[in-house]
């Protein structure tokens, strides 16, 4: 962001620079966070007042908090918004610090204690210690944010940190300097002051201490659905974190949400209805529930596909192929008239848009609708596969069967397209 483009922003930068290097660094951190939020795609989620309250009070009152819920519920975006609220007004939440800065890291399967806490490197050909993400965050007084915590085996990774999270002092290793004969003991401990810090003290010998302040937090997101297929959090670690559930949006909320992602208004009702059915099919199967974030890109795929169909149908060559005896007759494009579709849809049981060949009435120009409706059904299955297929590929066969029953019951996909989706998952498991 260019601060010179905004006088207010420039003045904030100038004032920060006048206050010293530390304040200017804090200003630049806030700029980086703001830029990340503007570039990132936020997923709208209408949380209940109760969930909103739980999230904020849990973070205000606890050192370690996890946001738990299925993929796509917007946990990361929610956490960013909450941290921003704490940063703008720490005193409102009972904090004594001036602001809140955060270090975001994404755990990986290969994570080790050395990566997170205390590791080693080579400096000048000699072995030396290096801070992990946890120690770095304490020294810089940044909140540590673990996005998608269950990507790593955190019980194994954190080791003795579990004891520290319970409020006790714990030794995590020795700090080795190049050329030094002995290492300096490294301890994790807590302090009553608001801010965290690293200090070197003499306690009958040199000691390196990393102190968590009373206002320091370790926060994370945790996909409850993926917990069965990635890494489960053990009881020892689970007891150290407060768990706040972030449920998926209701079907009604999703129906309103998805409309804001549809740009072709004449297609809005059609796309809204069909994508909402896919979302609702997952809601009815507890272990297959997903958040709206995984579905919000589907309208764009469908709109681009329907636009191509429109161009093909309206092309002269296509018109001749459809009406060889009447070349001047414009193509019948009524299948893209969402108003007519919805009217026909409401007349069918369960608002069914999918009809069999025997049900189609070609005497009213529905022969074009029949062909293109099938193409739309295929594109819907394609949008669904590329959006959530990586998650479906991790489902056990029984869970896929249950989801398939739900899909058929509410007619979210046609049977042949559901079979195509499940068959395609084999490539995603490779």
């Amino acid at each position: 962001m260019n601060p010179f483009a905004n006088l207010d922003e420039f003045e904030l930068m100038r004032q920060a620079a006048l206050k010293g290097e530390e304040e200017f660094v804090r200003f630049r951190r806030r700029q980086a966070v703001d830029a990340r939020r503007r570039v990132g795609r936020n997923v709208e989620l209408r949380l209940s007042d109760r969930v909103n309250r739980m999230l904020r009070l849990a973070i205000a009152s606890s050192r370690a908090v996890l946001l738990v819920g299925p993929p796509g519920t917007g946990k990361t975006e929610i956490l960013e918004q909450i941290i921003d609220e704490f940063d703008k007004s720490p005193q409102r939440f009972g904090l004594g610090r001036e602001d809140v800065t955060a270090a975001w890291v994404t755990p990986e399967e290969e994570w080790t204690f050395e990566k997170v806490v205390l590791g080693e490197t080579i400096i000048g050909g000699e072995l030396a210690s290096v801070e992990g993400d946890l120690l770095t965050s304490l020294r810089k007084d940044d909140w540590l944010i673990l996005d998608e915590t269950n990507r790593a085996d955190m019980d194994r990774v954190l080791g003795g940190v579990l004891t520290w999270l319970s409020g006790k002092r714990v030794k995590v290793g020795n700090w080795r300097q190049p050329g030094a004969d002995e290492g300096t003991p490294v301890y994790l401990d807590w302090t009553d002051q608001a801010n965290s810090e690293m200090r070197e003290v003499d306690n009958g010998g040199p000691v390196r201490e990393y102190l968590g302040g009373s206002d320091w937090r370790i926060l994370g997101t945790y996909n409850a659905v993926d917990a069965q297929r990635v890494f489960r959090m053990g009881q020892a670690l689970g007891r150290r974190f407060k768990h706040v559930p972030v449920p998926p949006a209701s079907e009604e909320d999703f129906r309103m949400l998805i409309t804001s992602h549809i740009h072709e208004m004449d297609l809005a009702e059609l796309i809204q209805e069909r994508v909402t059915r896919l979302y609702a099919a997952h809601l009815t199967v507890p272990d297959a529930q997903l958040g709206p974030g995984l579905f919000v890109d589907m309208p764009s795929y469908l709109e681009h596909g329907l636009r191509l169909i429109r161009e093909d149908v309206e092309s002269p060559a296509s018109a001749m192929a459809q009406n060889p005896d009447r070349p001047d007759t414009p193509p019948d494009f009524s299948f893209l008239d969402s108003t007519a579709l919805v009217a026909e849809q409401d007349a069918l049981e369960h608002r069914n848009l999918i009809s069999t060949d025997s049900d189609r009435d070609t005497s009213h120009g529905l022969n074009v609708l029949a062909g293109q409706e099938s193409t739309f059904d295929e594109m819907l299955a394609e949008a669904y596969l590329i959006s959530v297929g990586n998650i479906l590929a991790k489902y056990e066969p029984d869970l896929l069967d249950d989801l398939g029953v739900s899909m058929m019951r509410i007619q979210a996909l046609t049977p042949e397209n559901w079979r195509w989706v499940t068959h395609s998952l084999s490539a995603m498991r490779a």
Side-chain angles (χ1 to χ4, degrees):
M1 183 177 66
N2 178 12
F4 297 97
N6 184 297
L7 290 179
D8 291 337
E9 194 70 26
F10 175 75
E11 180 59 22
L12 289 174
M13 183 184 73
R14 190 181 72 85
Q15 291 293 337
L18 290 174
K19 291 180 181 178
E21 182 179 355
E22 183 178 345
E23 186 65 25
F24 185 71
V25 169
R26 184 179 293 116
F27 169 81
R28 298 298 293 179
R29 284 181 183 172
R30 283 182 173 176
Q31 269 198 322
V33 171
D34 288 342
R36 180 183 175 202
R37 291 195 185 99
R38 280 192 292 273
V39 173
R41 176 176 62 83
N42 288 330
V43 176
E44 305 92 334
L45 180 63
R46 296 179 59 182
L47 293 174
S48 69
D49 292 341
R50 196 165 195 177
V51 173
N52 269 315
R53 183 172 65 228
M54 278 196 299
L55 287 169
R56 285 152 180 80
L57 293 182
I59 294 173
S61 61
S62 305
R63 291 170 175 155
V65 178
L66 280 179
L67 278 63
V68 183
T73 50
K75 296 182 293 297
T76 299
E77 289 80 3
I78 292 168
L79 199 48
E80 285 182 333
Q81 293 169 12
I82 293 175
I83 292 172
D84 188 46
E85 291 180 26
F86 275 74
D87 180 41
K88 289 179 178 177
S89 182
Q91 294 74 30
R92 176 171 176 257
F93 297 96
L95 302 185
R97 57 192 295 159
E98 294 183 0
D99 60 2
V100 172
T101 55
W104 289 75
V105 293
T106 301
E108 299 293 344
E109 185 175 354
E110 63 273 12
W111 261 25
T112 61
F113 178 87
E114 288 74 18
K115 166 67 175 69
V116 180
V117 185
L118 182 60
E120 293 180 336
T121 188
I122 301 296
I123 299 178
E126 296 190 56
L127 200 62
S129 295
V130 61
E131 294 175 337
D133 293 313
L134 174 62
L135 298 189
T136 300
S137 72
L138 289 171
R139 176 173 54 80
K140 293 183 175 181
D141 196 24
D142 292 334
W143 287 10
L144 182 60
I145 315 299
L146 305 174
D147 197 18
E148 299 188 40
T149 305
N150 50 314
R151 283 177 174 263
D153 186 354
M154 298 304 294
D155 290 86
R156 175 180 58 84
V157 168
L158 292 179
V161 174
L162 299 179
T163 303
W164 173 69
L165 286 175
S166 67
K168 297 180 175 62
R169 178 181 174 89
V170 61
K171 182 180 178 181
V172 293
N174 291 300
W175 187 266
R176 187 181 299 274
Q177 295 279 15
D181 294 332
E182 296 183 358
T184 301
V186 177
Y187 285 89
L188 284 171
D189 205 348
W190 297 95
T191 176
D192 291 334
Q193 67 183 28
N195 299 95
S196 302
E197 65 175 343
M198 184 279 290
R199 66 186 184 189
E200 294 180 340
V201 298
D202 191 329
N203 189 16
V207 174
R208 190 179 180 100
E209 296 180 330
Y210 289 83
L211 304 175
S214 59
D215 291 350
W216 182 84
R217 300 290 184 267
I218 178 170
L219 310 175
T221 63
Y222 188 84
N223 288 335
V225 172
D226 282 347
Q228 304 298 327
R229 289 165 285 277
V230 189
F231 289 101
R232 294 181 63 87
M233 181 171 288
Q235 291 185 1
L237 180 58
R239 288 198 308 270
R240 271 64 176 185
F241 283 84
K242 304 297 182 185
H243 295 70
V244 181
V246 180
S250 67
E251 181 179 348
E252 293 73 20
D253 285 346
F254 179 84
R255 188 181 298 275
M256 291 186 288
L257 182 158
I258 200 66
T259 304
S260 65
H261 293 267
I262 302 172
H263 303 290
E264 299 279 352
M265 287 301 99
D266 57 330
L267 305 173
E269 293 184 51
L270 169 63
I271 294 176
Q272 178 199 53
E273 176 63 27
R274 297 303 298 276
V275 177
T276 299
R277 288 192 198 184
L278 287 171
Y279 181 78
H282 279 267
L283 278 186
T284 62
V285 182
D287 288 340
Q289 289 185 350
L290 299 174
L294 296 170
F295 295 80
V296 295
D297 288 335
M298 293 184 193
S300 178
Y301 185 97
L302 295 170
E303 287 176 329
H304 280 79
L306 290 172
R307 189 176 299 116
L308 290 176
I309 292 175
R310 177 184 285 120
E311 292 176 358
D312 290 342
V313 171
E314 291 179 344
S315 67
S318 177
M320 285 293 292
Q322 293 180 45
N323 301 281
D325 299 326
R326 301 182 61 190
D328 296 332
T329 302
D332 182 351
F333 204 65
S334 60
F335 72 94
L336 287 181
D337 183 350
S338 63
T339 303
L341 271 177
V342 172
E344 180 183 351
Q345 165 193 354
D346 288 340
L348 300 175
E349 184 178 5
H350 303 304
R351 299 186 301 176
N352 179 23
L353 279 168
I354 306 168
S355 58
T356 63
D357 290 337
S358 61
D359 292 330
R360 294 182 180 124
D361 183 0
T362 57
S363 65
H364 290 83
L366 296 183
N367 56 319
V368 175
L369 169 61
Q372 303 304 332
E373 184 183 59
S374 175
T375 303
F376 177 80
D377 288 338
E378 290 179 356
M379 290 191 301
L380 182 67
E382 293 159 12
Y384 175 67
L385 178 68
I386 64 176
S387 296
V388 304
N390 64 318
I391 294 177
L392 297 181
K394 301 174 185 176
Y395 285 1
E396 297 296 333
D398 289 347
L399 183 56
L400 267 182
D401 289 343
D402 291 343
L403 181 59
V405 170
S406 179
M407 289 280 181
M408 297 306 101
R409 181 174 56 82
I410 64 176
Q411 298 170 339
L413 291 175
T414 63
E416 58 269 25
N417 277 301
W418 173 247
R419 286 193 294 270
W420 176 81
V421 167
T422 55
H423 178 74
S424 300
L425 296 179
S426 58
M428 293 188 168
R429 298 187 183 103

